[in-house]
């Protein structure tokens, strides 16, 4: 359903998914004076525990979706793999942003890459593998490559590196012969991402590019401004992300991840139809955060171009930090971290830590990029993280 006008503060905004992204969305919505409702099956989710109301059902539960629709003026999603049919069903009753169709494109690597191509945005050479015949016919020029499941991958899960046709065959078996995309392995210099927001009126704004360091397939460090990026590449990436969003008729916050290759070229990797881990620095370093833009976009409020008012580094806080030196679960040394200037701790309220689980993040802001780096380095040492 199209909104008949902006949904003003005082209204009720719903989110499908109760994870940390839903929690930060709800915080932003509440700050603007909205009521918030979260739909999540978990009784103790990060967003459910701070929302005004939680609908505790599965994402496809007809009754749960009906309750959510009846309680809200508009609905968004925080969870990339939320079933597109759930969004489509809600859209029969109220405005849903982003739309099911746009989310469906982002959920399928093959459709996503086709969309990049349609927008004239380069991506890694790839082949779709859904049948034995397609597997046999793979161009050996794509090897060494990475076999990725077309759907449901995140944080490097559902990916296998392959160097030979035999390894490719074994990897596809290992992944359960589900539809996959084989991508050529590219020679990355570094990785960046850009976050844009678009509302139903077609207004489009963007954040500056962020440079991202991954460890074991999971985002570890984000640095803004991106230290290694030229102004020309920055402009090209922003233009590409804006075209990708506008062509989808996208409403909401969209993140596009790019690789910068050693030869200096820019290649789109993938996109996420929601705020993104690499945009968490915006909470403390920008005058409008990615979550506030998510609220504004879905509510049909004006979008203003966000301004970065401080350089920033974000350190992701994974559950591993709670188990240093193989000890029992111990809280990291927050007091020492918070004694340093410009540190902003965000914890998601998850009751138990597990290795690899995203427990929170730490934003560091300061007067200069070098000062931010120095403090971030000290924080990394205190937390037992690898050096920056
Ligand atoms: P996310 O957590 O961002 O959703 P994901 O599991 O969907 O991650 P990708 O973003 O596709 O996975 O890949 C994870 C990481 O693996 C990338 O950030 C990059 O470091 C590396 N990688 C992925 N594809 C390639 C490639 N074609 N060539 C080289 N490195 C790659
Ligand atoms: Mg990724």
């Amino acid at each position: 359903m199209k909104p008949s006008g902006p949904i003003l503060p005082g209204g009720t905004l719903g989110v499908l998914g109760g994870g940390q992204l839903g929690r930060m969305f709800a915080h932003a919505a509440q700050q603007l004076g909205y009521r918030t409702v979260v739909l999540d099956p978990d009784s103790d989710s990060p967003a459910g525990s701070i929302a005004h109301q939680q609908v505790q059902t599965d994402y496809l539960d007809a009754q749960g979706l009906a309750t959510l629709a009846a309680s809200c003026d508009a609905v968004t999603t925080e969870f990339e793999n939320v079933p597109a049919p759930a969004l489509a069903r809600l859209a029969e009753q109220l405005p849903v942003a982003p739309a099911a169709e746009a989310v469906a494109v982002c959920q399928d690597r093959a459709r996503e890459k086709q969309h990049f191509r349609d927008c004239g945005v380069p991506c890694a050479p790839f082949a779709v593998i859904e049948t034995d015949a397609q597997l046999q016919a793979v161009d050996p020029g794509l090897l060494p490559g990475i076999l990725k499941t077309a759907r449901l991958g995140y944080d490097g899960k559902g990916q296998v590196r392959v160097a030979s046709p035999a390894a490719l065959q074994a990897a596809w078996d290992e992944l359960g012969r589900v539809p996959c995309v084989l991508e050529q392995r590219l020679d990355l210099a570094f990785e960046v991402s850009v976050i844009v927001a678009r509302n139903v009126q077609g207004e489009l704004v963007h954040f500056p590019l962020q440079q991202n360091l991954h460890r074991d397939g999971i985002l570890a460090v984000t640095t803004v401004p991106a230290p290694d990026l030229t102004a020309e590449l920055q402009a090209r990436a922003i233009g590409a992300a804006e075209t990708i969003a506008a062509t989808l008729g996208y409403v909401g916050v969209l993140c596009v991840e790019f690789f910068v290759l050693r030869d200096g070229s820019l290649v789109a990797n993938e996109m996420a139809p929601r705020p993104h881990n690499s945009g968490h620095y915006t909470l403390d370093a920008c005058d409008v955060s990615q979550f506030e833009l998510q609220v504004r976009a879905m509510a049909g409020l004006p979008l203003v171009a966000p301004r970065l008012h401080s350089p920033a580094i974000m350190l992701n806080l994974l559950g591993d930090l709670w188990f240093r030196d193989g000890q029992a679960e111990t809280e990291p040394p927050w007091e020492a971290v918070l004694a340093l200037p410009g540190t902003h701790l965000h914890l998601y309220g998850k009751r138990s830590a597990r290795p690899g689980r995203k427990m929170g993040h730490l934003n560091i802001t300061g007067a200069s990029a070098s000062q931010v780096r120095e403090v971030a380095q000290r924080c990394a040492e205190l937390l037992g993280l690898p050096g920056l």
Side-chain angles (χ1 to χ4, degrees), residues 109 148 154-156 159 183-184 186 191 257 269-270:
R109 286 190 195 275
K148 303 180 178 182
Y154 69 99
D155 290 345
Q159 300 196 6
E183 261 179 54
Q184 189 181 63
L186 302 174
E191 298 184 54
E257 297 179 11
N269 172 30
E270 59 167 358

Side-chain angles (χ1 to χ4, degrees), residues 105-151:
V105 172
C106 300
Q107 283 175 341
D108 183 319
R109 286 190 195 275
R111 290 188 68 188
E112 179 175 65
K113 287 187 191 305
Q114 192 54 51
H115 183 67
F116 292 154
R117 283 186 172 169
D118 293 346
C119 291
V121 178
C123 58
F126 72 97
V128 175
I129 297 178
E130 291 175 333
T131 63
D132 268 314
Q134 285 169 320
L135 186 82
Q136 303 310 328
V138 155
D139 174 0
L142 291 177
L143 299 172
I146 305 182
L147 186 67
K148 303 180 178 182
T149 57
R151 300 175 61 82

Side-chain angles (χ1 to χ4, degrees), residues 226-245:
D228 298 322
L229 203 64
T230 61
E232 195 271 320
L233 269 189
Q234 163 128 264
R236 205 155 9 114
I238 290 166
E242 290 185 339
T243 305
I244 287 165

